[in-house]
Amino acid sequence: MKTPPVIAIDGPSASGKGTLARRLARHFGFAYLDTGLLYRAVGLAVLRQGGDPGDADQAAAAAVALTPANAGALDDPALRGDQAAQAASRVAAVPAVRAALKAFQQSFAAAPPAGAGGAVLDGRDIGTVICPGADAKLFVTASLAVRTQRRLDELRGRGVAVEPAAVLADMTERDARDSQRSVAPLVAAADAVVLDTSMLDAEQAFAAALDQLSRRFGLAAGPA
Ligand code: DC
C-alpha cells in the first residue's frame, strides 16, 4: 500500500520553518507535527520533576513516558518559553531520547491523524533520520542576525523584555549544541532543497517553497 506523502522541513531556530510548515500543511490538507515540541515536552518534564535535562537517564525516562495518547500536553504554553527551549536542546543530545521519540514521529508520518492525506513534519533531523524517504525535503535557514532579530520581535510581541545580546547568546549556544551533537546533528539532507529566508517575509518564503515543491519534487496540491 502506498504510504501518505511526507514533507520534511528542517532548519535552525527562528529560520521561519515552523510558520512555513504550518502553512504548507494547510495548503496541502496534511497533518502537521512540530517535532521540537516533543523535545520541549521532555525537557520541561525533567525540569518539573526537579531533574537535570542533561542527565541521560532522567531525560530518557521522560521521553519514554511521552506517547501519542498523552501528547495533549503539547498544548502547554510553557513549552514555547526559553527555559523549555534550552532544556529541549539538552535532552535532544541524548541518544536514548532521540530513539524514544523516533517511533512517535514515524507513526505520525505513516498514519497522519484525523484522516489527513499526508504529513508535514518540521525539526532538525526529519529529512536525514526520521523520514529519509520523504517525498519532499526543505532545509530552511536564515542568517544568525536575521534569526536573532526575529526571535527578539517574537519575544517583544509577547511582552517579554529581553536584551538583544542575551537572545544572540542563547541562539548561538543552541545552534552550536544542535549542530555539534554526535547523534542526528542539524544538517541538510543531501537531497534537500535549501531555502534561505534571510531576505524573505513569510509570504515570499511560502511562495518560494511551493515553487520548489512543485518543480523539484513534483508535489502540487490538487483542486481544493
Ligand atoms: O524547533 P524548536 O526550537 O522547538 O526545538 C527545540 C530543541 O529541540 C532544539 O534546540 C533542538 C531540538 N530538536 C531536535 O533535536 N530535533 C528535532 N527534530 C526537533 C527539535
Side-chain angles (χ1 to χ4, degrees):
M1 206 179 85
K2 168 109 181 66
T3 52
V6 174
I7 302 176
I9 305 193
D10 291 302
S13 6
S15 58
K17 67 182 189 309
T19 304
L20 176 62
R22 205 168 286 113
R23 262 192 96 168
L24 289 173
R26 209 178 317 126
H27 179 81
F28 286 96
F30 290 179
Y32 167 56
L33 181 63
D34 171 355
T35 67
L37 282 181
L38 304 177
Y39 293 90
R40 286 169 181 257
V42 172
L44 197 60
V46 175
L47 288 181
R48 283 180 172 161
Q49 287 156 14
D52 170 11
D55 181 288
D57 292 337
Q58 292 174 24
V64 169
L66 188 76
T67 65
N70 65 20
L74 298 181
D75 288 342
D76 187 341
L79 294 177
R80 306 276 170 196
D82 276 351
Q83 248 198 338
Q86 279 294 347
S89 174
R90 295 181 64 205
V91 299
V94 176
V97 168
R98 307 204 70 85
L101 298 183
K102 192 171 175 180
F104 186 126
Q105 298 170 76
Q106 289 180 334
S107 328
F108 186 98
V120 179
L121 281 78
D122 86 34
R124 304 291 190 289
D125 64 340
I126 308 303
T128 49
V129 175
I130 304 298
C131 300
D135 298 74
K137 299 181 186 180
L138 298 177
F139 189 85
V140 183
T141 189
S143 70
L144 180 61
V146 167
R147 293 189 293 115
T148 300
Q149 189 58 50
R150 284 181 188 161
R151 178 54 46 83
L152 262 176
D153 293 345
E154 182 206 326
L155 291 170
R156 287 176 175 164
R158 283 199 268 136
V160 182
V162 278
E163 286 302 319
V167 175
L168 175 64
D170 180 80
M171 188 88 75
T172 308
E173 188 190 336
R174 224 150 49 94
D175 276 0
R177 206 182 294 127
D178 294 346
S179 311
Q180 290 162 18
R181 67 179 175 227
S182 55
V183 275
L186 171 66
V187 61
D191 51 352
V193 166
V194 177
L195 194 66
D196 188 330
T197 68
S198 301
M199 310 291 279
L200 306 179
D201 64 19
E203 195 62 44
Q204 292 167 326
F206 178 60
L210 280 185
D211 179 55
Q212 294 290 354
L213 290 177
S214 153
R215 280 196 298 125
R216 304 281 289 271
F217 300 105
L219 208 65

